[in-house]
Amino acid sequence: MPRNHLANCTSPYLQQHADNPVEWYPWGEEALQKAKREDKPILLSIGYSACHWCHVMAHESFEDEATAQLMNRLFVNIKVDREERPDLDRVYQSAHQLLAQRPGGWPLTVFLTPGDQTPFFAGTYFPQEPRHGLPSFSEILQHIGDAFSQQREAIEQQNEALLRAIRQLDPVAGGTRKGLDPTPLETARQQLAGSFDQEHGGFGSAPKFPHPNSLEQLLRHWAATGGEDARALYMADFTLTQMALGGINDQLGGGFCRYSVDDQWMIPHFEKMLYDNGPLLALYSDLWQATGNPLFRDTALATARWAIREMQAPEGGFYASLDADSEGREGRFYVWDREQVKSLLEPDEYEHFSRYYGLDREANFEGHWHLHCVSGVADLNAQLNSSDEQAHELLRRARDKLLASRDRRVRPGRDEKILTSWNGLMIKGLARAGRALDEPELIDAAQRAVDFIRASLWQDRHLRVVYKDGRAELNGYLDDYANLLDALLELLQSRWDSDLLSFATELAEVLLERFQDPEQGGFFFTANDHESLIYRPKPFGDESLPSGNGVAASVLARLGHLLGEARYLQAAERTLLCADERIHQIPQAHCTLLKALDELLNPGEIFILRGEPTTMQPWLERARRHFAPRRMVFPIPAGETALPQVLASKTAGGVCRAYLCRGSQCQPPVETLESFGRLLQEGELHSTEDDQEFDGAVGSYKRYRE
């Protein structure tokens, strides 16, 4: 029998705690009113199901009867899944930063006053016994309980100061600049170069995170310079190469883990999150187009197929994450014993596999081997007298055998809630990869996810945050609307559907109605009909997810140019003006906003193709051949009639007809593939006549690498 109030919650994370002796409540009126009525402080614990240290604290403290008795006596205890309630997480992580003067994390442990839910003490993981300079959790509980009963006046004064400080966190419009300024685009390039790890790729030191927004900014910068800034491409290429070959990438099954605990990308924190893999899928597809390196195509395909195979629900949406742990140990599902590998492979397979993936070296993870590439095929050939074809085939057979064996192990837990915002990121990645790699099944998977969201998570002009066990719950946040809208624009370029365009337009209207700040510009994280919290954040910086304001501004700029809708363009510009000071101070922390800045300062190409699907195909193949981040191409069938006027006026004719617009300026249509190719060539880094690389673009980059 459940021992607390979490049993009816759909969140897998909350259900993990339903049998704790702690009298947990979900966030809601029952718990908040109980705290007020009994004048007890609230112990708020925020985590998520794939969080390793959340599991550790749960086992040490929340499953312990003595600790639970102390918690139940002194506090009203509330457990929150940060993936379902990013609004609460964002508010109280900000409070932790102010109270503790250092970044937070998970598990987040916050103590709130009962009347207004203002935090007066915050921390993250606390051990069961004192160690590493940390007091025990029980000691913390007793001290906080004593402070609340004996120092109420001091706590109230601190709370007043905290509330003043937290409400000043977000920028307001102002400053000396009267318009948009391109300076941060170049400054971000220099800042990213300054933090670039020359030896291993990535930015900074361990723990190493992928930072896909930063890598995308470097790719866009390289393209914007016409290929002259070869180092910008190199930083993205080298980082994504090291990641693809490293242990952060699942070398057998595909998909990326959350981060690397070392500088070399060798040993990851083994959880796999949907929100990392969607943007990385898009990036590897972009880099394949930019460089033609088959490693990037292979990595993108492996990531996409992992997502479809292991993360897509039968209904169409994508699950949230895979746990880091299995059988009570982090990484157990992924690591190998040398003798076990030997027993599964033929001698020639083992010789190649062990040298390629490091089994001929010292164990690298708690006496076991976690696979990462330490050699190249050319080295294998020299050492083992094999050909490229033989080596690749032996490695493929070995991987297949090990993957089949691994699939029989106890699998990590899967968080099977379906989150709208994270699905938006994966849908975008699949749609872009499907186009770039010419893999229609990826577009099919993206379409199934969109169909599921429309059927199950779009209700009464409200997106819901989460779907689990047949229930769609919680009104959507900025990230839900912005990421889904961005994904729809990407999918419309892969496969036209006028109904999807109408859906995208409706999402954009809701963004303006419910999230926009009419006074200062920008978008709040919560809608104007959301429950009142101590703080209504307006986030601009990139975090583990791209900035909701950045995505909203970028997609509104693109949609505004596509539809000729001035309101969307104005909303995007006002967002950037509101964030102007932040963007100039730390541009590298606002790369998603920089993408929107670039979209407004340098409106990209919008190509509208009109014709029969079969006759448009060669035109689409030509348009998708090369990397062009400032380009959108929409293939609209000749018979399509349910179009807004600005698109309906671009009629079909002949075999195929292409219309090119830049910003508000449109050119006369072209009706031959040759003329279309010449138009495309103007925005590309490659020759279109013989499909050879321009010496000044990719050619100079290859020389730079050498």
Side-chain angles (χ1 to χ4, degrees), residues 53 207-210 248 257-261 265 267-271 276:
W53 286 104
K208 274 280 189 64
F209 289 83
I248 193 173
C257 297
R258 180 74 191 96
Y259 61 84
S260 172
V261 302
W265 305 104
I267 303 299
H269 182 42
F270 286 89
E271 65 188 17
D276 290 314

Side-chain angles (χ1 to χ4, degrees), residues 530-604:
H530 193 76
E531 73 172 286
S532 179
L533 302 174
I534 63 168
Y535 165 52
R536 191 182 181 196
K538 192 199 293 184
F540 287 99
D542 294 320
E543 298 174 354
S544 53
L545 269 66
S547 156
N549 266 282
V551 176
S554 175
V555 74
L556 286 172
R558 289 195 155 202
L559 192 62
H561 284 131
L562 175 66
L563 300 179
E565 178 51 76
R567 291 181 301 118
Y568 298 166
L569 297 169
Q570 290 165 0
E573 182 174 8
R574 293 181 73 240
T575 300
L576 289 163
L577 290 174
C578 182
D580 182 76
E581 185 176 349
R582 294 282 182 88
I583 294 175
H584 279 79
Q585 286 176 345
I586 325 174
Q588 70 170 347
H590 298 83
C591 286
T592 308
L593 275 169
L594 295 185
K595 178 180 176 181
L597 177 64
D598 185 43
E599 296 282 350
L600 284 173
L601 290 174
N602 306 289

Side-chain angles (χ1 to χ4, degrees), residues 254-332:
F256 286 86
C257 297
R258 180 74 191 96
Y259 61 84
S260 172
V261 302
D262 56 77
D263 289 337
Q264 296 83 20
W265 305 104
M266 184 193 303
I267 303 299
H269 182 42
F270 286 89
E271 65 188 17
K272 288 185 182 179
M273 314 299 292
L274 191 70
Y275 65 72
D276 290 314
N277 283 278
L280 287 172
L281 171 56
L283 264 177
Y284 277 101
S285 302
D286 287 347
L287 205 53
W288 152 252
Q289 282 190 310
T291 68
N293 185 339
L295 172 66
F296 301 136
R297 177 185 174 85
D298 293 345
T299 304
L301 277 175
T303 305
R305 288 169 178 162
W306 163 79
I308 296 169
R309 180 182 69 249
E310 297 193 28
M311 303 302 286
Q312 190 162 29
E315 303 97 322
F318 287 90
Y319 299 132
S321 63
L322 295 180
D323 205 331
D325 301 358
S326 57
E327 299 183 86
R329 287 177 52 188
E330 183 179 6
R332 185 181 183 92

Side-chain angles (χ1 to χ4, degrees), residues 367-491:
H368 302 275
W369 280 262
H370 178 57
L371 303 180
H372 69 293
C373 301
V374 300
S375 182
V377 169
D379 294 329
L380 294 183
N381 294 341
Q383 296 167 14
L384 300 172
N385 196 30
S386 55
S387 67
D388 283 359
E389 184 178 355
Q390 289 170 329
H392 282 296
E393 177 61 19
L394 289 168
L395 290 172
R396 183 196 64 77
R397 284 175 9 206
R399 284 193 298 266
D400 288 348
K401 289 179 180 179
L402 264 64
L403 180 61
S405 174
R406 194 180 79 177
D407 283 343
R408 294 190 288 272
R409 296 177 179 177
V410 176
R411 302 186 69 85
R414 183 170 64 187
D415 187 329
E416 295 189 351
K417 64 176 179 288
I418 297 171
L419 294 162
T420 301
S421 63
W422 298 12
N423 269 255
L425 295 173
M426 181 54 72
I427 292 163
K428 178 180 179 178
L430 286 167
R432 185 179 294 181
R435 285 201 315 276
L437 310 180
D438 192 22
E439 296 284 345
E441 72 272 16
L442 307 190
I443 301 171
D444 293 341
Q447 183 68 59
R448 290 198 301 275
V450 169
D451 292 343
F452 170 79
I453 289 172
R454 292 190 70 187
S456 302
L457 287 153
W458 176 242
Q459 302 169 4
D460 302 322
R461 294 189 78 241
H462 282 80
L463 276 175
R464 304 303 181 196
V465 173
V466 60
Y467 180 93
K468 179 74 168 60
D469 297 337
R471 291 158 53 184
E473 298 182 309
L474 304 171
N475 285 338
Y477 309 108
L478 171 61
D479 289 356
D480 297 298
Y481 287 87
N483 287 335
L484 182 58
L485 179 53
D486 197 22
L488 294 179
L489 266 191
E490 203 71 49
L491 187 56

